Amino acid sequence: MTDLTRLTIAEARARLAAKDFTALELTDAYLGAIEAANGALNAYVTVTPEQARKMAATSDARIAAGEAGALEGIPLGIKDLFATEGVHTQACSHILDGFKPRYESTVTANLWADGAVMLGKLNMDEFAMGSSNESSYYGPVKNPWRAEGANRDLVPGGSSGGSAAAVAAHLCAGATATDTGGSIRQPAAFTGTVGIKPTYGRCSRWGIVAFASSLDQAGPIARDVRDAAILLKSMASTDAKDTTSVDLPVPDYETALGGSLKGMKIGIPREYRVDGMPDEIEALWQKGIAWLKDAGAEIIDISLPHTKYALPAYYIVAPAEASSNLARYDGVRYGLRVEGKDIVDMYEKTRAEGFGQEVKRRIMIGTYVLSAGYYDAYYLRAQKVRTLIKRDFETAFHAGVDAILTPATPSAAFGIADQDLAADPVKMYLNDIFTVTVNMAGLPGIAVPAGLDASGLPLGLQLIGKPFEEETLFKTAYAIEQAAGRFEPKRWW
Amino acid sequence: MSVDLATVKRVAHLARIAVNEEDANRMMGELNAILGFVEQLSEVDVEGVEPMTSVTPMAMRKRADVVNDGDKAEDIVANAPNSDRNFFLVPKVVE
């Protein structure tokens, strides 16, 4: 029998329906792949084989009864940020030691209702703060990709590094992820996978450990554009438990694939051509432009003048919201407690031991910019700049642009424990330079693999769309995928 | 703007994170690097610009003002490091 883990979700769905194999066989194939590879890659922090087999058996019964859901029997990995009832949920932080929620996040509940099977929880940067997956309490994830002829370990990107690595290495059929400044799109670009951050409000944030509430959105990472469309349809919903959840019906994204790009206007923002950007990234961007032109789209140069201020504004807004959201970890209600001489001493010791360096750094920045006397100079100004960033996009869309094409990242994946990046936190933050604008404006963005660099590492392009027009992104990304082909890492693990 | 060691210690206390001299010194450097980076926002003209409060122009949806949850004290304390008869236990706060 062929290796079932090589199938896309669409292929597995068709063959499960045709009864070529059972959901249990498919789940066992993935559990076997995880067992064989996770020691090397560290993509999963917890595997749930009993639960997976039980869910798969239920799926087989539903398929036999003709009651299959949209994701019936499809084995998925879940980022450790999503609350899963009775199962390890720690945002890959020491401070949530032992936390097993008594409830299920809305996004995962939607997936299980559609018949998906949970394989386990995926590694990530602690509290989703990072671009390399190195801030996880459970150690770094290794990228399944290596440069040609090299054996240096590379990062899979972050914060959804475990999700991207597991999808690229065929340790799940697809994965949930979240994106606050680029945490779906950057790891997707680093691993040759497809990742979409939908419009703010499209997926419920209920039951997702909060980082920066005005920026956080859930989305899928998948092996191709069609699978990403299938997953997003099940993840998205209108949810009364999240007041920012939007009251719009969820479209069938898959039907958008293969549609013509004739008459579409694609904007190319000149401000995304940054100093020191490698020639390969520029060349990839030009290739993307040529592909979309060939597919019938019209290419228009546009200007988004406040682009360079998105990252500094983000590093005020996101830490400010994080410092508030993470105040709840105090050693009283859940997770780690370190005893102290009084209650304040207990709080301070618990948080000193429970949070990692990057998380502490961001809480400190957030506390500082919100503290008396600094609020107007930092936070209020950053929120005004955010209005200007959003206005730039609105101007482009009002002028008739349907979607915007940019590189996804300023480079390919870099090495684990890169000394240059470790010495300067701001350098690491620059990874999100092309993705963070999208979160600041609440727009949808998709990263799609578009080629390999000279050393054979994957590079991605990003498409940015109008609010709630994910279908346009899927349609356009599909055209890029048709032209670029798909990319698979050579197995070394 | 930049922060000195005393400010770092004050902010750490506000954030309820214990720091020793070494931590505070390291954080001072990191915080100043980040504050230096965000400094460029001061060159943006924000005169008359409204601060963003919501990315999507929509009225906040409100749930009906009815009790629809509760009676799950055991669930709520289930993950507590220390609890007794559905109360969270903490060090003595009031003498």
Side-chain angles (χ1 to χ4, degrees):
Chain A
M1 192 153 69
T2 54
D3 179 0
L4 299 183
T5 69
R6 307 311 293 181
L7 303 174
T8 63
I9 292 174
E11 289 162 356
R13 181 182 61 181
R15 291 184 55 186
L16 281 167
K19 304 197 169 64
D20 279 358
F21 49 80
T22 65
L24 193 56
E25 284 167 334
L26 182 62
T27 289
D28 276 332
Y30 276 108
L31 290 171
I34 295 168
E35 171 119 15
N38 203 50
L41 298 176
N42 199 29
Y44 282 86
V45 293
T46 288
V47 187
T48 52
E50 294 85 24
Q51 195 163 338
R53 290 198 180 98
K54 215 171 123 195
M55 291 172 96
T58 306
S59 285
D60 281 326
R62 282 169 60 165
I63 292 168
E67 293 164 357
L71 285 172
E72 202 65 62
I74 302 297
L76 303 179
I78 303 299
K79 189 178 182 180
D80 199 34
L81 206 62
F82 292 81
T84 43
E85 194 175 351
V87 175
H88 184 288
T89 300
Q90 288 186 213
C92 284
S93 179
H94 185 31
I95 209 158
L96 271 166
D97 265 4
F99 183 63
K100 291 196 167 83
R102 294 293 183 105
Y103 54 89
E104 188 78 28
S105 81
T106 297
V107 164
T108 49
N110 288 344
L111 292 170
W112 314 146
D114 274 352
V117 169
M118 177 165 74
L119 294 169
K121 300 301 284 287
L122 294 163
N123 207 339
M124 55 180 282
D125 278 299
E126 184 183 5
F127 283 107
M129 298 177 189
S131 304
S132 67
N133 213 113
E134 292 170 295
S135 76
S136 168
Y137 179 64
Y138 298 92
V141 175
K142 287 181 191 166
N143 194 328
W145 288 84
R146 280 177 170 175
E148 246 162 60
N151 56 9
R152 185 168 73 130
D153 290 326
L154 303 177
V155 303
S159 68
S160 309
S163 304
V167 170
H170 295 255
L171 306 186
C172 56
T176 65
T178 61
D179 190 316
T180 303
S183 283
I184 289 176
R185 292 158 288 155
Q186 184 254 19
F190 277 13
T191 56
T193 55
V194 176
I196 181 166
K197 180 203 91 74
T199 314
Y200 184 81
R202 183 65 285 181
C203 288
S204 170
R205 290 180 297 108
W206 196 81
I208 300 174
V209 177
F211 161 15
S213 305
S214 78
L215 302 158
D216 297 343
Q217 253 303 286
I221 291 181
R223 284 196 284 272
D224 67 10
V225 174
R226 183 177 299 277
D227 284 3
I230 294 170
L231 287 172
L232 183 60
K233 179 166 192 294
S234 288
M235 290 170 72
S237 64
T238 302
D239 183 10
K241 289 188 283 195
D242 174 2
T243 52
T244 59
S245 154
V246 71
D247 200 1
L248 283 174
V250 181
D252 184 354
Y253 299 115
E254 217 183 331
T255 58
L257 307 184
S260 167
L261 304 195
K262 282 218 164 49
M264 263 188 78
K265 291 191 170 74
I266 304 290
I268 309 297
R270 68 176 67 103
E271 290 80 6
Y272 281 62
R273 198 160 277 122
V274 297
D275 288 342
M277 189 165 86
D279 293 342
E280 285 178 308
I281 303 286
E282 174 66 34
L284 183 86
W285 199 6
Q286 292 305 325
K287 245 182 355 187
I289 290 170
W291 289 329
L292 295 182
K293 219 186 262 179
D294 288 348
E298 185 187 339
I299 306 296
I300 300 171
D301 284 319
I302 61 167
S303 175
L304 302 168
H306 295 90
T307 297
K308 71 177 270 210
Y309 301 112
L311 203 58
Y314 175 84
Y315 274 97
I316 291 172
V317 174
E321 294 184 15
S323 75
S324 168
N325 273 326
L326 272 60
R328 72 190 69 176
Y329 305 105
D330 57 4
V332 174
R333 285 160 293 170
Y334 24 64
L336 181 75
R337 172 184 289 194
V338 180
E339 299 298 342
K341 63 182 191 308
D342 55 31
I343 194 162
V344 173
D345 196 41
M346 182 206 61
Y347 293 153
E348 293 196 345
K349 283 188 169 140
T350 299
R351 289 164 65 82
E353 188 170 321
F355 291 134
Q357 299 291 359
E358 182 60 31
V359 174
K360 282 185 206 170
R361 188 145 60 216
R362 300 208 196 181
I363 292 174
M364 292 281 289
I365 283 286
T367 306
Y368 178 70
V369 301
L370 292 176
S371 64
Y374 296 104
Y375 180 86
D376 285 6
Y378 286 113
Y379 189 73
L380 198 64
R381 175 169 280 266
Q383 290 289 49
K384 287 178 179 174
V385 171
R386 203 173 164 188
T387 299
L388 294 172
I389 292 163
K390 183 159 185 259
R391 203 177 282 169
D392 285 352
F393 283 108
E394 284 166 353
T395 305
F397 292 136
H398 284 153
V401 165
D402 296 294
I404 295 167
L405 180 74
T406 77
T409 57
S411 74
F414 46 87
I416 288 178
D418 185 299
Q419 288 308 308
D420 223 25
L421 290 168
D424 181 0
V426 173
K427 243 185 203 160
M428 183 68 90
Y429 298 168
L430 291 172
N431 262 288
D432 289 337
I433 191 160
F434 298 140
T435 49
V436 77
T437 50
V438 176
N439 301 76
M440 293 300 268
L443 302 172
I446 191 168
V448 59
L452 302 177
D453 74 0
S455 61
L457 294 175
L459 295 171
L461 288 170
Q462 172 180 237
L463 288 156
I464 304 167
K466 298 181 198 171
F468 303 106
E469 293 198 8
E470 283 81 5
E471 287 163 288
T472 305
L473 294 189
F474 282 122
K475 181 171 83 171
T476 317
Y478 187 73
I480 291 177
E481 183 179 69
Q482 293 295 303
R486 281 173 55 194
F487 306 92
E488 290 279 341
K490 282 196 196 84
R491 191 175 167 147
W492 54 264
W493 56 87
Chain B
M1 271 179 272
S2 64
V3 292
D4 57 17
L5 200 60
T7 307
V8 170
K9 288 179 182 171
R10 184 176 60 85
V11 172
H13 181 61
L14 281 175
R16 299 288 184 265
I17 295 173
V19 290
N20 57 30
E21 259 340 273
E22 194 194 328
D23 297 333
N25 268 301
R26 196 197 53 249
M27 282 178 175
M28 184 173 71
E30 293 168 354
L31 263 51
N32 282 329
I34 297 167
L35 292 172
F37 174 65
V38 304
E39 191 62 41
Q40 52 182 305
L41 292 181
S42 61
E43 67 196 50
V44 186
D45 181 5
V46 293
E47 195 59 39
V49 177
E50 282 293 309
M52 181 178 284
T53 48
S54 165
V55 286
T56 29
M58 60 178 219
M60 190 195 260
R61 289 184 308 104
K62 296 165 197 77
R63 290 197 294 265
D65 187 13
V66 293
V67 178
N68 57 15
D69 201 0
D71 277 334
K72 46 173 80 159
E74 278 177 26
D75 283 346
I76 287 163
V77 298
N79 280 286
N82 202 350
S83 68
D84 183 19
R85 283 161 288 172
N86 292 342
F87 286 96
F88 294 111
L89 292 188
V90 294
K92 200 171 187 178
V93 179
V94 183
E95 288 298 329

